[in-house]
Structure formats: C-alpha cells, structure tokens
Amino acid sequence: MVNKELTKFIRLHKLDDIQRLLLSSDKYPGIDVKLAAKLISAKKKIDRKVPLWREMNGLVFPDNLSVEQSSSELTAEYKKRFVNGGVVIDLTGGLGVDSFFLSQKAKHLFYFDKNKELCESAKYNFNYLRVNNITVSNCEISKESIKEIKLSHADLIYLDPSRRDNNHNRVYAITDYRPNILDIKEDLLELSNIILVKVSPMVDISATIGQISEITEIHVLSVNNECKELLFLLSRGRENSMYGKEDIRIFTVNFCKEEQVEHFDFNFAQENICMSEFSGDNLSGYLYEPNASILKAGAFKSLGEFFKIRKLHKNTHLYTSFNKIDDFPGRSFMIKNRFDFNKETIKGLRKKFPKANISTRNFPLTPDELKKLLKIKDGGDAYIFGCTTSSGAKKILICSKVS
C-alpha cells in the first residue's frame, strides 16, 4: 500500500501545492504521485484534527471524505471516559480515530466497517501505530449481521452512523442514518448494557429523546465554540424509568484555545423548575454570551440561576451582571453604551465605528443584515449586539471583550 520511498516522498513534499505536484509528476519516476497527492491532501486535514498523528508520515487515508467525517483528537479523547477496560465494539469504524483512542482504555476493541478500503487502511494504520488490541472486520451492520457477531458480551458499543444516502447526499433525520439505530438498538442492548451513539450537531435533542427511550445521558461537544458532536448514551432498562426525560443528565463541553475547557452540566428537571430573572432596559455592567454547547443543549434558566445572572429576555440568550464572572462558560463583555434601535442610532454608529464585530440575538435582523444597514466592516475591538430586552424594546449594545 505505502512503501518506504512513498513515505519519504510524502514527508519531503507534505507542504507542497497539490496541483503543482501533480503537474510535475514526470520528475519523480517510480513514485505514484497521484496516490501521494491524495495522501498528502488527506494528511494535511488529519494533522489539524489529530495532532498526535502529525509526525506519522506512513499513515494512509483512502479519501478526503472519510477524513472530514472523522472525529477530532479532542472529541475522541473525550469518549475514552465511557471505557473502563473490557471489550468495546465500534460498529462504524470509519477512519479509525475513535477506535484508536477508545482502544487505549479497552482490553480489546472490535472494529467493523462496511467499506473494504477503509477496513484495509484502518488495519494498516493500527499496525503502523503499533496498536495490537484491535480486530478489524469488513461488515455492514444490520439486524441480521449483528446476530453473526460471535461475541457473548461487550462492555460498550460505539456507533457513529453514516449521515449520507446512497447518492452521498446529507441526511438529517436519525431514521435516515445508516445503520438506523431505532432498528437495531434492542439487538445491541442484548449484546451490551451501554451504547454510545454519535449524531449530527444539527439533530433536535428533544425529538431524539422522544424516539429513543433508553437515553440516560447527553453530551454536547464543541471545539472553539463550534458545536461538533452530540453523543447519546443508551442504557438497558432505562426505557422503564418512571422519570421520563426529567433525570437525563446533559453535559456541555467547549474545548477552547490554549487547552482550556468549559463545562456546564444540568438536567431537564432542573431546567424546568428554575426561574429566570430579567435585566430590564437599563443595561449596564457585564454582558455574557453562552458557548455553542450550552445554546444547543438549551440550559438557559439553569445557567442563569447557577451564576446568579439576569437574562435580557425569555428568548434573548444573553445575560448581564454588575460583577464580573471569571469562569463563565462563554464570551464575556463590558457594556460601554446602549441605544434604542432607530434611524438616529444607525446614523451615529456609522460615523463612530468604521469596524466592529456584529452579533444579533432575538432581533429582527441577522448579523449580516445589521452590518449592511450600519455599513460597518468586520473587525476592530468593538462588539455590537442587536437584541431584544424583557420589555420588548429593540436595543443596540456597544461592548468591549473581557479576556
């Protein structure tokens, strides 16, 4: 698949322009430059996702799509918390990033994937990485094939279903995923008490809970404030719980720069009984914007009560306080000024701020529409928020970021 000469070539040319490299293939007799270019392109992407593999020039990746769909090192490392030794089954192994990290805490991991080329590259890579506790099998998971898995028990089953149809178009409903977790979960729960399912961050959490009664935990993972993964933990026997969704625990995580991690945990019972306090129209002090994981999870009242901060409006997910909160899970700002949203304000801001960072929350305009109206370019140190307060008033807040 990859010999020493090709590995050396990739190492020497990994920073080259791919198109130029392909056009100059005649300069390198004995080298499959097309394959090298494909591997270099995929390697550049995987280096950003999995820094641990950055110096592993002998790794192979069949295509860029498999790299794009794979987990990052940060999110794969996070999943290791679900493994306490024993046997793990990864039913949708793909590129093998999750399998690789899960295997570090497993006694043995069984990797399955329906794509033969992915299986071959994963097996080659695991061998190259000197991982000796993973067994690779080329198998498409279905109700029928699960019965053919010759294992009596697994401590954890991990499933990252494909979110593309036969024409490689994206699908969004979990019932359209392949395999369909609703079709096979009972069979899987006969094999293991615990199943971890990764789904698209676009999935509706409440709707999914309604479809899968075995969910006990939800983990919402963001990287640099971009929601990347939703993880649902299913447990056998959970469907008979008398509490419904109320005792499902939600863990929100945001992996920030400089190895900082923001955590906030809650459950639906908490969120239902919490009462929000509202700030009114005279906004001053500090402004807080929750991170992407908290916004996705919907921890709006729980967050306000925990940090003793006031919400701007029921549907405006911004908060204020007079005192600075150092460990708030999101962005923090100091409110410098506030204006009513009207023609006079628009005219004045155009003159004062040639550049600004513009956001809107519960506002009649999108950020791009407000930026176009104000005729302000992106950038600078000023942060402008268009928002609605508890009285229904439309406000423009001028803020500076707090580090």
Side-chain angles (χ1 to χ4, degrees):
M1 189 178 289
V2 178
N3 56 32
K4 289 182 179 180
E5 288 74 21
L6 189 60
T7 299
K8 183 180 178 181
F9 182 87
I10 290 169
R11 184 173 65 251
L12 292 173
H13 297 274
K14 63 182 180 181
L15 300 179
D16 289 10
D17 179 86
I18 298 299
Q19 292 305 316
R20 286 185 179 181
L21 193 62
L22 287 168
L23 291 171
S24 60
S25 59
D26 292 342
K27 294 180 181 179
Y28 310 106
I31 297 292
D32 187 340
V33 177
K34 188 174 181 180
L35 174 60
K38 179 181 173 182
L39 294 173
I40 289 169
S41 178
K43 186 73 168 65
K44 286 179 179 179
K45 293 180 180 179
I46 204 67
D47 283 353
R48 291 191 292 270
K49 278 195 166 188
V50 189
L52 187 65
W53 292 356
R54 195 165 286 161
E55 301 304 318
M56 306 294 182
N57 294 305
L59 296 175
V60 296
F61 310 103
D63 55 66
N64 284 313
L65 181 61
S66 63
V67 175
E68 289 167 7
Q69 292 178 335
S70 72
S71 295
S72 67
E73 181 173 321
L74 287 170
T75 59
E77 275 276 5
Y78 182 88
K79 297 181 189 95
K80 285 163 63 174
R81 70 187 53 217
F82 302 103
V83 183
N84 293 303
V87 174
V88 175
I89 300 176
D90 185 347
L91 291 176
T92 46
L95 198 68
V97 176
D98 283 316
S99 288
F100 172 78
F101 284 96
L102 291 172
S103 73
Q104 293 175 351
K105 286 188 68 178
K107 182 179 179 181
H108 199 89
L109 185 140
F110 292 88
Y111 164 113
F112 294 87
D113 200 278
K114 66 178 183 178
N115 185 308
K116 185 178 180 180
E117 192 177 9
L118 276 174
C119 289
E120 289 174 351
S121 64
K123 189 172 183 178
Y124 174 89
N125 289 340
F126 295 146
N127 182 60
Y128 182 86
L129 293 163
R130 298 183 180 178
V131 179
N132 55 18
N133 65 333
I134 298 179
T135 300
V136 174
S137 299
N138 180 204
C139 173
E140 182 169 6
I141 298 303
S142 64
K143 285 182 72 69
E144 293 72 28
S145 64
I146 289 169
K147 295 179 176 63
E148 297 173 10
I149 297 175
K150 305 300 183 184
L151 291 171
S152 58
H153 175 76
D155 296 275
L156 174 71
I157 292 176
Y158 175 61
L159 187 64
D160 178 8
S162 171
R163 295 180 281 281
R164 291 183 183 270
D165 61 19
N166 291 327
N167 297 317
H168 302 291
N169 297 315
R170 290 185 185 275
V171 295
Y172 298 98
I174 61 168
T175 50
D176 293 330
Y177 287 5
R178 295 181 299 166
N180 182 348
I181 183 63
L182 300 184
D183 288 344
I184 62 174
K185 62 184 174 72
E186 281 84 9
D187 298 292
L188 296 181
L189 287 167
E190 290 295 319
L191 189 58
S192 175
N193 293 330
I194 301 174
I195 305 170
L196 183 65
V197 184
K198 171 185 166 182
V199 301
S200 163
M202 301 296 291
V203 160
D204 185 289
I205 290 175
S206 294
T208 305
I209 292 170
Q211 292 173 297
I212 305 175
S213 58
E214 294 87 356
I215 293 171
T216 57
E217 292 179 6
I218 301 167
H219 297 253
V220 188
L221 308 184
S222 292
V223 178
N224 295 327
N225 208 31
E226 182 181 352
C227 195
K228 292 291 188 181
E229 295 185 13
L230 280 181
L231 303 174
F232 291 93
L233 191 71
L234 284 58
S235 298
R236 183 159 58 184
R238 159 70 199 185
E239 66 273 18
N240 299 319
S241 171
M242 61 182 287
Y243 297 105
K245 79 170 193 176
E246 296 298 296
D247 64 338
I248 295 175
R249 194 79 187 161
I250 303 99
F251 300 84
T252 74
V253 183
N254 181 34
F255 298 99
C256 310
K257 294 177 181 178
E258 299 175 357
E259 298 185 356
Q260 293 182 335
V261 185
E262 296 172 342
H263 295 273
F264 186 77
D265 309 336
F266 71 107
N267 62 31
F268 289 112
Q270 263 179 278
E271 184 66 15
N272 288 338
I273 64 173
C274 286
M275 299 293 290
S276 294
E277 288 189 27
F278 297 102
S279 57
D281 291 350
N282 296 319
L283 300 167
S284 60
Y286 294 91
L287 185 76
Y288 300 97
E289 181 185 47
N291 65 43
S293 287
I294 291 171
L295 292 172
K296 176 63 184 179
F300 306 127
K301 293 187 289 183
S302 303
L303 185 74
E305 184 169 289
F306 183 85
F307 287 101
K308 308 301 179 189
I309 49 181
R310 295 165 297 151
K311 211 162 187 273
L312 269 65
H313 180 281
K314 180 183 177 182
N315 299 317
T316 304
H317 305 314
L318 296 170
Y319 302 78
T320 63
S321 72
F322 293 114
N323 300 316
K324 182 175 178 290
I325 299 169
D326 291 325
D327 58 347
F328 181 80
R331 299 197 299 172
S332 303
F333 305 87
M334 181 175 285
I335 300 173
K336 296 291 190 179
N337 217 330
R338 64 181 183 275
F339 300 96
D340 293 326
F341 179 53
N342 54 37
K343 290 182 179 179
E344 186 179 345
T345 295
I346 293 167
K347 187 177 179 181
L349 291 178
R350 283 175 183 167
K351 293 179 180 178
K352 191 169 183 180
F353 298 101
K355 284 185 177 183
N357 304 279
I358 296 176
S359 299
T360 59
R361 294 285 182 195
N362 189 25
F363 197 71
L365 302 178
T366 66
D368 283 341
E369 288 169 342
L370 181 57
K371 181 171 61 177
K372 186 176 180 181
L373 180 65
L374 295 174
K375 296 180 180 177
I376 291 176
K377 294 181 180 179
D378 282 325
D381 298 325
Y383 289 79
I384 296 176
F385 286 86
C387 56
T388 302
T389 62
S390 56
S391 70
K394 304 295 183 282
K395 296 285 184 181
I396 298 290
L397 304 182
I398 312 300
C399 305
S400 61
K401 196 172 184 181
V402 177
S403 60

